[in-house]
Amino acid sequence: DNPPETPGVPTVTLDGFKLKASLENIAVNASIIEFALYKDNAKSKTGKAAVKADSASFTFTVTAGSEYKVQCRAYKSGDYSDWSDFSAPQGTIPATPEGFKKCVLQGDNHDQVYLEWEELKTATSYEIEYANDQSYFDNTDKTTKKDVGKVTQFTFVDEFKIDSDKSDAGQWFFRFRAKNEKGESGWSAISTTKIGKAPAAPTTWSSTNSAILGEPLTLYWVHNSEDGTSQTDAQLRLTI
């Protein structure tokens, strides 16, 4: 008839989204062990397991992006013991981020990309993926991934720098995910921006000042003196 004694600290193992709390070598005069799961320091749910062969265990389903810990107490014949101390916290993989807070251009030539995002619980690092075609994501190896560590903002300074070959001008697409020792989150929504400045009005010349019907007239111009990028398209308008 003695009331149960306070059990020891439960052992916790995490496999994906299954958290198992267990107690071995039970010697606290109990028939049932009740486990209490705490999510981010708030009590989330409880579960009871019968004591069999001096052992008891209960498995909880958990979610991404949180830390969990467990305590337990013993039960017998209507009496409960005090709660045990907490187990060491266990973090799940980070939750999938929504997207960037900011995706903007910087630099004199608008060829530096500044990205900013919200910090995610349990994340120990972040990875950014980018490509110049949105269809490349998930389907090809034509994307580039960059691990930027545990920060919430990052600036691409040289990756899209406009230089003599102009290869990096144009539209680019970005997304990111969070990582920790348990794994990786899903990818965020995609953000996009166009590298470089919009072209200024071209400076134009012609091969002649007076055009005669039936003779050729050649027009030529300097395109986009704003950042020096190569022309991809032009429109001509003739006013008579």
Side-chain angles (χ1 to χ4, degrees):
D1 294 329
N2 292 333
E5 301 170 8
T6 303
V9 177
T11 301
V12 172
T13 57
L14 184 62
D15 183 10
F17 296 116
K18 297 296 183 182
L19 185 147
K20 182 180 180 181
S22 56
L23 202 62
E24 307 290 337
N25 300 319
I26 297 173
V28 291
N29 189 32
S31 59
I32 291 175
I33 299 295
E34 182 179 20
F35 297 93
L37 179 71
Y38 282 70
K39 177 182 179 181
D40 298 327
N41 293 320
K43 194 172 184 178
S44 174
K45 53 184 112 173
T46 62
K48 294 180 179 179
V51 176
K52 296 180 180 180
D54 297 331
S55 300
S57 66
F58 191 88
T59 300
F60 296 95
T61 299
V62 295
T63 58
S66 293
E67 279 194 344
Y68 294 89
K69 58 185 178 181
V70 178
Q71 62 177 180
C72 64
R73 64 179 178 177
Y75 171 84
K76 185 179 181 181
S77 302
D79 289 327
Y80 283 99
S81 72
D82 292 331
W83 287 102
S84 71
D85 291 333
F86 283 105
S87 65
Q90 293 275 345
T92 56
I93 64 172
T96 299
E98 293 184 1
F100 294 105
K101 289 171 57 180
K102 293 182 180 180
C103 176
V104 296
L105 295 175
Q106 295 180 341
D108 293 339
N109 286 332
H110 291 188
D111 56 1
Q112 299 176 6
V113 181
Y114 172 79
L115 301 171
E116 185 178 325
W117 56 92
E118 295 282 359
E119 183 178 7
L120 295 172
K121 286 183 179 179
T122 75
T124 56
S125 68
Y126 298 90
E127 184 178 44
I128 298 172
E129 184 178 30
Y130 56 95
N132 59 1
D133 190 322
Q134 186 171 347
S135 67
Y136 291 163
F137 292 122
D138 299 320
N139 300 313
T140 72
D141 58 358
K142 296 180 180 179
T143 65
T144 302
K145 295 183 177 70
K146 187 175 185 67
D147 197 320
V148 297
K150 192 177 181 180
V151 297
T152 56
Q153 59 187 36
F154 186 79
T155 303
F156 288 96
V157 176
D158 297 319
E159 285 82 353
F160 308 101
K161 189 173 183 179
I162 293 175
D163 52 24
S164 58
D165 64 9
K166 317 298 187 298
S167 60
D168 291 325
Q171 191 163 16
W172 284 80
F173 301 86
F174 302 85
R175 66 181 185 176
F176 78 103
R177 64 184 175 185
K179 303 166 70 175
N180 64 16
E181 68 280 359
K182 295 292 194 306
E184 303 158 341
S185 73
W187 289 104
S188 72
I190 296 171
S191 294
T192 184
T193 189
K194 290 185 177 180
I195 307 298
K197 295 183 178 180
T203 302
T204 62
W205 297 270
S206 62
S207 59
T208 180
N209 290 326
S210 298
I212 299 174
L213 186 64
E215 294 185 355
L217 171 64
T218 302
L219 303 176
Y220 52 96
W221 55 89
V222 173
H223 170 76
N224 198 5
S225 58
E226 285 292 308
D227 63 12
T229 51
S230 297
Q231 174 180 293
T232 59
D233 189 40
Q235 290 182 323
L236 299 180
R237 184 170 64 183
L238 176 64
T239 301
I240 301 175

